[in-house]
Amino acid sequence: MVLTAVVTGAARGIGRCVVTRLRTAGYRVVAVDVSPAVSELAEDGWVVPVAADVSADATPGAVVGRAVAEFGRLDLLVNNAGRFLRRPILETTDDDFDAVFAVNVRPVFRFTRAALPHLVGSRGCVVNTASISGLVGIANQSVYAMTKGAVVQLTRQLAIECAGAGVRVNAVAPGAVDTEFMAEARRADPDPAASLAVTLGNHPIGRMSTPDEVARAIVFLASPQSSGITGTILSVDGGYIAR
Ligand SMILES: NC(=O)c1ccc[n+]([C@@H]2O[C@H](COP(=O)([O-])OP(=O)(O)OC[C@H]3O[C@@H](n4cnc5c(N)ncnc54)[C@H](O)[C@@H]3O)[C@@H](O)[C@H]2O)c1
């Protein structure tokens, strides 16, 4: 039996590493990203890239339908696509709020709802990419933190709601990860070097995590190695929230 996964935000960063790790573990993958670069992941019969915006109404149903049509089953949903916003609340507009929730929250709910009937059939898993920002307060991230708090709570809620059906639901909570996501945020900062120094100083291991370190935690939460784990928010944060 060949396991099948849907991974969102797959074109680069953490999501791309998740696709690589899942392929190594023998999964077939439907890889979704708004960036056309997702097509680079195409692998005949093994990786189906879908260039689509997760926030578009039709995307979750179409992607889950594609996975089941191509591969005949669905065992894993990785809700990983996300965008960042670092902005003081007094400078944060209603449009900012709507735009970040539209990508970080609504599609997590809608992809999960579309996938669940198939995951119940396969006794599969959902793994969400949350953030330490959904667990502790960090200045100037009010809207982003709210979105990741919502992902944390949906994870816990569904873990309980779906446990009887044999579906496990977990999340990872990364600290700073060395991807374009963080690099873009730093470039927008008036003093990128000082901003990086503060970030590193807040992580006891003295560095950012690599995207593959986060991907390995995601694949662990999808694997039989974690069969007793559901409703867990697994921090991959170099000790950030242990301080
Ligand atoms: N990098 C970090 O420091 C960090 C820390 C904590 C949590 N996270 C979370 O990890 C996840 C992945 O982040 P990353 O660091 O790999 O970022 P990244 O920016 O490198 O990759 C994110 C991917 O998501 C895609 N994406 C964004 N909006 C999309 C949309 N509307 N539809 C489809 N695809 C979309 C992007 O095109 C990109 O390929 C995000 O949910 C992010 O919030 C990242």
Side-chain angles (χ1 to χ4, degrees), residues 188-207:
D189 213 290
D191 187 344
S195 156
L196 177 62
V198 169
T199 299
L200 298 183
N202 285 335
H203 291 71
I205 63 171
R207 63 172 177 83

Side-chain angles (χ1 to χ4, degrees), residues 122-135:
S122 61
R123 298 178 79 79
C125 295
V126 178
V127 184
N128 297 321
T129 307
S131 168
I132 55 168
S133 306
L135 297 174

Side-chain angles (χ1 to χ4, degrees), residues 87-177:
R87 193 162 294 168
I89 192 162
L90 293 178
E91 295 167 23
T92 304
T93 65
D94 291 352
D95 285 348
D96 290 333
F97 180 98
D98 291 342
V100 183
F101 268 79
V103 174
N104 291 9
V105 179
R106 191 168 181 265
V108 179
F109 161 67
R110 299 186 74 249
F111 263 92
T112 304
R113 192 179 54 187
L116 263 176
H118 305 285
L119 297 174
V120 166
S122 61
R123 298 178 79 79
C125 295
V126 178
V127 184
N128 297 321
T129 307
S131 168
I132 55 168
S133 306
L135 297 174
V136 297
I138 302 173
N140 300 328
Q141 295 190 14
S142 53
V143 168
Y144 179 74
M146 289 165 76
T147 67
K148 293 302 184 177
V151 171
V152 165
Q153 270 313 100
L154 180 65
T155 302
R156 292 177 174 141
Q157 165 62 32
L158 288 181
I160 295 166
E161 191 170 322
C162 301
V167 177
R168 295 188 299 113
V169 186
N170 291 292
V172 291
V177 186

Side-chain angles (χ1 to χ4, degrees), residues 8-16 32-38 50-56 59 79-84 99 102-104 107 111 128-133 144 147-148 172-184 199 203 208-209 211 214 218 236:
T8 71
R12 69 180 195 189
I14 295 167
R16 191 163 184 141
V32 189
D33 205 289
V34 72
S35 164
V38 74
V50 177
D53 185 337
V54 292
S55 66
T59 301
N79 282 307
N80 170 76
R83 54 179 291 179
F84 192 41
V103 174
N104 291 9
F111 263 92
N128 297 321
T129 307
S131 168
I132 55 168
S133 306
Y144 179 74
T147 67
K148 293 302 184 177
V172 291
V177 186
D178 193 8
T179 64
E180 267 304 299
F181 182 95
M182 283 299 291
E184 281 168 4
T199 299
H203 291 71
M208 291 186 262
S209 297
V214 182
I218 290 172
V236 186

